[in-house]
């Protein structure tokens, strides 16, 4: 990585402003249900503490749309971080303002301050609408570290704009470096055979990465809701299945490209269909070519497809997976997603999984530890594959020799 690293940054006696990704899932009681992203930030935080710096953490949580809301407070993250580090964490009442500025000014080496949700201010996602926001954030620290790979594809105040205030002092944290290292070594220049498994609901959010993967992968296995747009583009009946009519032409183009590119797009041979998204739905398994009747919708890949995908993946050297292959949250429709999760866990290939739903499936199956690398950023990993860099990375200072 050609960007300045945290390990190259003089931080003794400095206030280190660190962008982390604490956008964690919460239940109705505001309890964290998965602290993976907080745990992923610990090496960077601990290094700063051990090196004599003071830590000022900033993150977003959810989509509060520029307004303060208890529902989206980072207070549960402060509590959990304190437990994980066995170290007190000071919680700021806001991410900017006089009181927060005073807390930062008084912070001593070895102390941790967590700022309140950045997205309580419009200036985070729309720096042009609140021009002073970025400057106020920057004024809190002496040096800047971005360790939030999951938001590095956003040119927001705290991920890109802020680096202008830290010339030569804006570095990559250890998690960001780790993510880029795995993506570069495994996906940008993959060991072959390289197979990509792409699922999830929409083709619209993954067109760019599909176009990129058609030139990089040896095969792209398609499942999930996005498969039905491809199937409709082939003239097959898809019943009431989720799809995007406005992207049918694009799906046809991608299928045509797959005939001439390195990678072949492989669609499900059979489907699990249901008359409703419920555990007690009427369920059938049909060959894809038969078409889905109008009162049914596709909910999972079928057993023949599971077997076909499994066979293809047997000789893999590299596998990238993003997006579930069915409505895995509902038990009768989860077999495809869990079957492929087991294939990856048992594979000798380098396995990289990006995206919250895919990782959630691995964790619920107890297989997460058997994957080579779990990316903390699904969208960011897709955009990195597509573009080879991200705005949050580009904005960092260049490495010192």
């Amino acid at each position: 990585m050609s960007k300045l690293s945290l390990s190259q940054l003089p931080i003794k006696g400095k206030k280190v402003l660190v962008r982390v990704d604490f956008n964690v899932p919460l239940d109705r009681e505001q309890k964290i249900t998965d602290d993976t992203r907080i745990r992923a930030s610990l090496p960077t935080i601990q290094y700063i503490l051990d090196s004599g710096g003071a830590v000022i953490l900033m993150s977003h949580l959810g989509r509060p749309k520029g307004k303060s809301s208890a529902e989206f407070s980072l207070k549960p993250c402060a509590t959990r971080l304190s437990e994980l580090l066995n170290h007190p964490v000071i919680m700021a009442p806001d991410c900017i303002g006089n009181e927060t500025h005073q807390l930062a000014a008084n912070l001593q080496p070895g102390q941790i301050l967590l700022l309140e949700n950045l997205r309580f201010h419009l200036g985070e996602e729309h720096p042009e609408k609140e021009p002073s926001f970025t400057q106020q954030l920057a004024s809190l620290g002496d040096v800047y570290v971005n360790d939030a790979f999951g938001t590095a594809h956003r040119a927001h105040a705290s991920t890109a704009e802020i680096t202008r205030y830290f010339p030569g002092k804006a570095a990559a944290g250890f998690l960001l470096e780790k993510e880029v290292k795995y993506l570069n070594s495994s996906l940008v220049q993959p060991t072959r055979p390289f197979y990509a498994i792409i699922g999830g609901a929409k083709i619209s959010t993954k067109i760019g990465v599909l176009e990129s993967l058609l030139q990089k992968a040896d095969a792209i296995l398609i499942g999930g809701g996005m498969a039905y747009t491809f199937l409709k583009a082939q003239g097959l009946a898809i019943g009431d299945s989720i799809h995007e009519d406005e992207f049918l032409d694009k799906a046809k183009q991608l299928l045509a490209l797959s005939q001439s590119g390195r990678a072949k797009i492989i669609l499900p041979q059979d489907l699990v269909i249901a008359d409703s998204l419920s555990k007690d739905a009427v369920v059938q398994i049909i060959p894809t070519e038969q078409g889905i009747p109008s009162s049914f919708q596709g909910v999972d890949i079928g057993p023949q497809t599971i077997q076909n995908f499994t066979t293809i993946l047997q000789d893999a050297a590299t596998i990238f997976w993003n997006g579930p292959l069915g409505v895995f949250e509902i038990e009768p429709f989860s077999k495809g997603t869990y079957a492929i999760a087991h294939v990856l866990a048992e594979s000798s290939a380098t396995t990289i999984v990006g995206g919250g739903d895919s990782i959630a499936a691995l964790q619920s199956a107890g297989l997460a530890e058997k994957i080579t690398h779990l990316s903390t950023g699904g969208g960011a990993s897709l955009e990195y594959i597509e573009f080879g860099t991200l705005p949050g990375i580009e904005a960092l200072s260049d490495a010192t020799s």
Side-chain angles (χ1 to χ4, degrees):
M1 192 172 175
S2 61
K3 294 298 181 178
L4 187 68
S5 168
L6 170 59
S7 61
Q8 298 173 307
L9 200 62
I11 54 179
K12 185 175 183 179
K14 305 284 188 185
K15 293 181 175 70
V16 186
L17 192 58
V18 187
R19 179 49 157 106
V20 289
D21 184 5
F22 286 179
N23 186 29
V24 295
L26 302 171
D27 63 20
R28 292 180 181 177
E29 283 75 47
Q30 297 298 102
K31 288 187 171 61
I32 297 169
T33 58
D34 181 2
D35 65 0
T36 301
R37 286 177 168 171
I38 299 177
R39 289 178 179 273
S41 71
L42 298 182
T44 287
I45 296 170
Q46 192 64 59
Y47 174 85
I48 296 168
L49 295 174
D50 292 345
S51 301
V55 183
I56 303 173
L57 301 171
M58 50 183 178
S59 177
H60 76 284
L61 175 64
R63 301 183 183 208
K65 299 179 180 177
K67 295 179 181 177
S68 179
S69 167
E71 176 188 358
F72 296 110
S73 173
L74 283 165
K75 288 177 184 175
C77 298
T79 301
R80 185 61 185 138
L81 178 63
S82 180
E83 292 169 351
L84 290 168
L85 287 172
N86 192 26
H87 191 292
V89 175
I90 303 165
M91 184 70 209
D94 199 348
C95 57
I96 57 173
N98 291 336
E99 192 174 346
T100 298
H101 193 277
Q102 200 58 49
L103 284 171
N106 294 334
L107 206 64
Q108 299 299 309
Q111 291 187 309
I112 304 171
L113 174 66
L114 174 60
L115 307 184
E116 187 53 284
N117 195 333
L118 293 163
R119 290 189 182 174
F120 285 175
H121 295 263
L122 277 175
E124 167 60 5
E125 294 182 270
H126 305 282
E128 74 285 355
K129 292 184 179 179
E130 200 176 341
S132 67
F133 178 75
T134 309
Q135 187 276 328
Q136 289 182 74
L137 278 180
S139 70
L140 301 175
D142 301 313
V143 295
Y144 170 82
V145 173
N146 191 342
D147 210 31
F149 178 75
T151 60
H153 58 315
R154 308 293 188 202
H156 290 168
S158 66
T159 58
E161 289 294 310
I162 198 168
T163 61
R164 294 187 292 112
Y165 295 92
F166 296 97
K169 298 184 291 184
F174 297 143
L175 173 62
L176 187 67
E177 285 185 322
K178 178 184 174 186
E179 293 272 14
V180 171
K181 172 191 168 189
Y182 270 105
L183 290 173
N184 276 336
S185 63
S186 301
L187 301 183
V188 177
Q189 297 176 311
T191 305
R192 300 188 181 281
F194 166 37
Y195 300 124
I197 307 162
I198 306 294
K202 295 181 178 181
I203 183 177
S204 56
T205 58
K206 298 180 180 177
I207 286 171
V209 76
L210 287 169
E211 289 176 333
S212 180
L213 286 170
L214 280 170
Q215 306 307 318
K216 293 176 181 175
D218 295 295
I220 304 171
L221 315 183
I222 301 286
M226 65 186 299
Y228 304 105
T229 300
F230 281 105
L231 296 178
K232 187 171 182 179
Q234 291 182 318
L236 294 168
I238 61 168
D240 298 335
S241 304
I242 184 173
H243 66 286
E244 295 173 285
D245 280 334
E246 63 271 36
F247 289 94
L248 289 174
D249 286 343
K250 193 65 191 181
K252 290 176 185 176
Q253 291 172 20
L254 291 170
L255 289 168
L257 279 172
S258 100
Q259 299 304 311
S260 57
R262 167 187 282 276
K264 297 294 180 278
I265 290 176
I266 300 173
L267 295 168
Q269 296 169 289
D270 61 343
L271 302 164
V272 179
I273 64 172
D275 65 350
S276 67
L277 294 178
S278 63
K279 288 185 178 180
D280 55 359
V282 176
V283 176
Q284 297 178 20
I285 298 171
I286 64 164
T288 302
E289 61 187 18
Q290 176 182 311
I292 303 171
S294 59
S295 57
F296 281 76
Q297 59 189 300
V299 292
D300 198 5
I301 57 173
Q304 188 179 348
T305 302
I306 292 172
Q307 184 55 54
N308 185 40
F309 283 9
T310 301
T311 300
I312 292 168
L313 295 170
Q314 288 308 306
D315 71 335
T318 308
I319 305 172
F320 174 70
W321 179 24
N322 177 278
L325 302 178
V327 189
F328 81 102
E329 301 91 342
I330 301 174
E331 193 277 327
F333 316 144
S334 65
K335 290 184 177 63
T337 297
Y338 285 122
I340 297 306
H342 278 277
V343 171
L344 264 68
E346 294 161 10
S347 176
S348 59
T350 297
T351 50
I352 298 176
V353 179
D357 287 338
S358 306
I359 293 174
L362 284 162
Q363 288 173 331
S364 66
L367 301 172
E369 292 184 1
K370 296 187 176 182
I371 302 302
T372 308
H373 179 62
L374 298 176
S375 177
T376 55
S381 61
L382 291 177
E383 289 202 19
Y384 193 89
I385 294 168
E386 182 179 352
F387 299 113
T389 188
L390 298 170
I393 295 172
E394 284 299 294
L396 298 174
S397 306
D398 290 332
T400 55
S401 55

